[in-house]
């Protein structure tokens, strides 16, 4: 498989990148982003591009992918709905529309979040916008679309969050998360779980479209090769 990852510098993206580079059936991982990821590997290729809303200049490099793992995202805290829609919905759909004609057999995996509102009518702004984004992606004729809705994620293998508040909280919560995770599998995920589940979604290319935390956990443990 050839895998395209957006958001590889974030916590989820770092974990997904690690698992993709370790996977024997992945021949190349292409990371597309505004800044370098700071890693090197034989099957890693980076495309640094300042304007992700306009991919026309790099279109020739964006074809023949098995899957796209879209891990880009921002916190809605302190943001207006207009700005949050622009980044969350606008950017995701802009990238998806650019990739689709170049990769009609692509599996598109989108990292959403627990509590996403598929009705688009709830009171919580971020949940409505995520729901609108999910619904739009489901309407696109990719080979398959998977919507990941993780809740609590424990970063492993040196993965770190870009969000300062999370970086401060994780060391404090780590002992509790480490103890609780085996007791409630599927409720607390790891970056390893999320990455392996994404790869299995790409391998499968069919099945469930909306995956909550427990679904992600179970998919991560399947042997799909």
């Amino acid at each position: 498989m050839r895998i395209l990852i957006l958001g590889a510098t974030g916590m989820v993206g770092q974990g997904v990148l690690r698992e993709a580079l370790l996977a024997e059936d992945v021949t190349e991982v292409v990371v597309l982003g505004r800044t370098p990821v700071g890693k090197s590997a034989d099957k890693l290729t980076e495309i640094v591009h300042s304007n992700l809303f306009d991919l026309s200049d790099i279109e020739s490099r964006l074809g023949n992918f098995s899957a796209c793992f879209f891990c880009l995202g921002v916190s809605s805290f302190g943001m207006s709905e207009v700005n949050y829609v622009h980044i969350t919905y606008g950017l995701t759909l802009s990238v998806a529309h650019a990739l689709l004609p170049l990769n009609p057999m692509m599996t598109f995996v989108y990292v959403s979040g627990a509590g996403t509102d598929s009705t688009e009518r709830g009171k919580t702004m971020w949940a409505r916008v995520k729901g609108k984004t999910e619904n739009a992606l489901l309407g696109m004729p990719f080979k398959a679309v998977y919507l990941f809705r993780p809740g609590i994620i424990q970063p492993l293998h040196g993965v770190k969050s870009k969000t300062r508040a999370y970086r401060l909280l994780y060391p404090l919560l780590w002992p509790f998360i480490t103890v609780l995770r085996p007791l409630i599998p599927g409720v607390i995920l790891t970056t390893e779980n999320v990455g392996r589940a994404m790869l299995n979604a790409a391998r499968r290319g069919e099945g469930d479209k909306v995956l909550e935390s427990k679904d992600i956990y179970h998919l991560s443990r399947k042997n799909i090769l």
Side-chain angles (χ1 to χ4, degrees), residues 52-53 70 72-73 85-99 108 110-111 130 133-134 137 140 142:
L52 297 180
F53 280 93
F70 196 96
L72 273 174
V85 168
H86 177 66
I87 295 173
T88 300
Y89 175 85
L91 180 57
T92 306
L93 269 294
S94 177
V95 170
H97 280 293
L99 292 177
F108 196 97
Y110 175 65
V111 179
K130 287 282 192 180
T133 307
E134 286 188 353
L137 289 172
M140 298 184 68
F142 286 104

Coordinates of all heavy atoms in Angstrom, one line a residue, residues 52-53 70 72-73 85-99 108 110-111 130 133-134 137 140 142:
L52 N -2.5 24.3 2.1 CA -3.2 23.0 1.9 C -4.6 23.2 1.2 O -5.2 22.2 0.9 CB -3.3 22.3 3.2 CG -2.0 21.9 3.9 CD1 -2.2 21.2 5.2 CD2 -1.1 21.0 2.9
F53 N -5.1 24.4 1.2 CA -6.3 24.7 0.5 C -6.2 24.6 -1.0 O -7.2 24.5 -1.8 CB -6.9 26.0 0.9 CG -7.6 26.0 2.2 CD1 -6.9 26.3 3.4 CD2 -9.0 25.6 2.3 CE1 -7.6 26.3 4.6 CE2 -9.6 25.6 3.5 CZ -8.9 26.0 4.7
F70 N -6.4 11.2 7.3 CA -6.5 12.7 7.5 C -6.6 12.9 9.0 O -7.6 12.8 9.6 CB -7.8 13.2 6.8 CG -7.8 14.7 6.7 CD1 -7.4 15.3 5.5 CD2 -8.2 15.5 7.8 CE1 -7.4 16.7 5.4 CE2 -8.2 16.9 7.6 CZ -7.8 17.5 6.5
L72 N -5.4 15.8 10.5 CA -5.4 17.3 10.8 C -6.6 17.7 11.7 O -7.7 17.2 11.4 CB -5.4 18.1 9.5 CG -4.1 18.4 8.9 CD1 -4.3 19.1 7.5 CD2 -3.2 19.2 9.7
G73 N -6.4 18.5 12.6 CA -7.5 19.0 13.4 C -7.0 20.1 14.4 O -5.8 20.2 14.7
V85 N -15.3 26.2 11.2 CA -15.9 25.6 10.0 C -14.9 25.7 8.9 O -14.7 24.7 8.1 CB -17.2 26.3 9.6 CG1 -17.6 25.8 8.2 CG2 -18.3 25.9 10.6
H86 N -14.2 26.9 8.7 CA -13.3 27.1 7.7 C -12.1 26.0 7.7 O -11.8 25.4 6.7 CB -12.7 28.5 7.7 CG -11.6 28.8 6.7 ND1 -11.9 28.8 5.4 CD2 -10.3 29.0 6.9 CE1 -10.8 29.1 4.7 NE2 -9.8 29.2 5.6
I87 N -11.6 25.8 8.9 CA -10.5 24.9 9.1 C -10.9 23.4 9.1 O -10.4 22.6 8.4 CB -9.7 25.2 10.4 CG1 -9.1 26.6 10.3 CG2 -8.6 24.1 10.6 CD1 -8.4 27.1 11.6
T88 N -12.0 23.1 9.9 CA -12.4 21.7 10.0 C -13.1 21.2 8.8 O -12.8 20.1 8.3 CB -13.2 21.6 11.3 OG1 -12.5 22.0 12.4 CG2 -13.7 20.2 11.5
Y89 N -14.2 21.9 8.4 CA -14.9 21.4 7.3 C -14.3 21.8 5.9 O -14.1 21.0 5.1 CB -16.4 22.0 7.3 CG -17.2 21.7 6.2 CD1 -17.9 20.5 6.1 CD2 -17.4 22.6 5.1 CE1 -18.7 20.2 5.0 CE2 -18.2 22.3 4.0 CZ -18.8 21.1 4.0 OH -19.6 20.8 2.9
G90 N -13.9 23.1 5.8 CA -13.4 23.6 4.6 C -12.2 23.0 4.1 O -12.0 22.5 3.0
L91 N -11.2 22.9 5.0 CA -9.9 22.3 4.6 C -10.0 20.8 4.3 O -9.5 20.3 3.3 CB -8.9 22.5 5.7 CG -7.5 21.9 5.4 CD1 -6.9 22.5 4.1 CD2 -6.5 22.2 6.6
T92 N -10.8 20.1 5.1 CA -11.0 18.6 4.9 C -11.6 18.3 3.6 O -11.1 17.5 2.8 CB -11.8 18.0 6.0 OG1 -11.3 18.3 7.3 CG2 -11.9 16.5 5.9
L93 N -12.7 19.1 3.3 CA -13.4 18.8 2.0 C -12.5 19.3 0.8 O -12.6 18.7 -0.3 CB -14.7 19.5 2.0 CG -15.9 18.6 2.5 CD1 -16.1 17.5 1.6 CD2 -15.6 18.1 3.9
S94 N -11.8 20.4 1.0 CA -10.9 20.9 -0.1 C -9.9 19.8 -0.5 O -9.7 19.5 -1.6 CB -10.2 22.2 0.4 OG -9.3 22.6 -0.6
V95 N -9.3 19.2 0.5 CA -8.3 18.2 0.3 C -8.9 16.9 -0.3 O -8.4 16.3 -1.3 CB -7.5 17.8 1.6 CG1 -6.7 16.5 1.4 CG2 -6.7 18.9 2.1
A96 N -10.1 16.5 0.2 CA -10.8 15.4 -0.3 C -11.2 15.5 -1.7 O -11.0 14.6 -2.6 CB -12.0 15.1 0.6
H97 N -11.7 16.7 -2.1 CA -12.1 16.9 -3.5 C -10.9 17.0 -4.4 O -11.0 16.6 -5.6 CB -12.8 18.3 -3.6 CG -14.3 18.1 -3.2 ND1 -15.2 17.4 -3.9 CD2 -14.9 18.7 -2.1 CE1 -16.4 17.5 -3.3 NE2 -16.2 18.3 -2.2
A98 N -9.7 17.4 -3.9 CA -8.5 17.4 -4.7 C -8.0 16.0 -5.0 O -7.5 15.6 -6.1 CB -7.4 18.2 -4.1
L99 N -8.1 15.1 -4.0 CA -7.6 13.8 -4.0 C -8.5 12.8 -4.8 O -8.0 11.9 -5.5 CB -7.4 13.2 -2.6 CG -6.3 13.9 -1.8 CD1 -6.3 13.2 -0.4 CD2 -4.9 13.7 -2.4
F108 N -10.5 6.7 2.4 CA -10.3 8.0 3.1 C -10.7 7.8 4.6 O -11.8 7.4 4.9 CB -11.1 9.1 2.5 CG -10.7 10.5 2.9 CD1 -9.9 11.2 2.0 CD2 -11.1 11.0 4.1 CE1 -9.5 12.5 2.4 CE2 -10.7 12.3 4.4 CZ -9.9 13.0 3.6
Y110 N -10.9 9.5 8.2 CA -10.9 10.9 8.8 C -11.0 10.7 10.3 O -11.9 10.0 10.9 CB -12.2 11.6 8.3 CG -12.4 12.9 8.9 CD1 -11.5 14.0 8.8 CD2 -13.6 13.2 9.7 CE1 -11.8 15.2 9.3 CE2 -13.8 14.4 10.3 CZ -12.9 15.4 10.1 OH -13.2 16.6 10.7
V111 N -10.1 11.5 11.0 CA -10.2 11.5 12.5 C -11.1 12.5 13.0 O -10.9 13.7 12.8 CB -8.8 11.7 13.1 CG1 -8.8 11.7 14.6 CG2 -7.8 10.6 12.6
K130 N -18.1 18.8 13.1 CA -17.5 17.5 12.8 C -18.6 16.6 12.1 O -18.2 15.9 11.1 CB -17.0 16.8 14.1 CG -15.8 17.4 14.7 CD -14.5 17.0 13.9 CE -13.3 17.3 14.7 NZ -12.1 16.9 14.0
T133 N -18.9 17.6 8.5 CA -17.7 17.1 7.8 C -17.8 15.7 7.5 O -17.6 15.2 6.3 CB -16.4 17.4 8.6 OG1 -16.4 18.8 8.9 CG2 -15.2 17.1 7.7
E134 N -18.2 14.9 8.5 CA -18.4 13.4 8.3 C -19.4 13.2 7.2 O -19.2 12.3 6.3 CB -18.8 12.8 9.6 CG -17.8 12.6 10.7 CD -18.3 11.8 11.8 OE1 -19.5 11.5 11.9 OE2 -17.5 11.5 12.7
L137 N -18.2 13.8 3.7 CA -17.2 12.8 3.2 C -17.9 11.5 2.9 O -17.6 10.8 1.9 CB -16.2 12.5 4.4 CG -15.2 13.6 4.6 CD1 -14.3 13.2 5.9 CD2 -14.2 13.8 3.4
M140 N -19.1 11.3 -0.7 CA -18.1 11.3 -1.8 C -17.8 9.9 -2.2 O -17.7 9.0 -1.4 CB -16.8 12.0 -1.3 CG -17.1 13.5 -1.0 SD -15.5 14.3 -0.6 CE -14.7 14.4 -2.2
F142 N -15.4 7.8 -2.8 CA -14.2 7.1 -2.6 C -14.5 5.6 -2.5 O -15.7 5.2 -2.4 CB -13.6 7.5 -1.2 CG -12.9 8.8 -1.2 CD1 -13.5 9.9 -0.7 CD2 -11.7 9.0 -1.8 CE1 -12.9 11.2 -0.7 CE2 -11.1 10.3 -1.9 CZ -11.7 11.4 -1.3

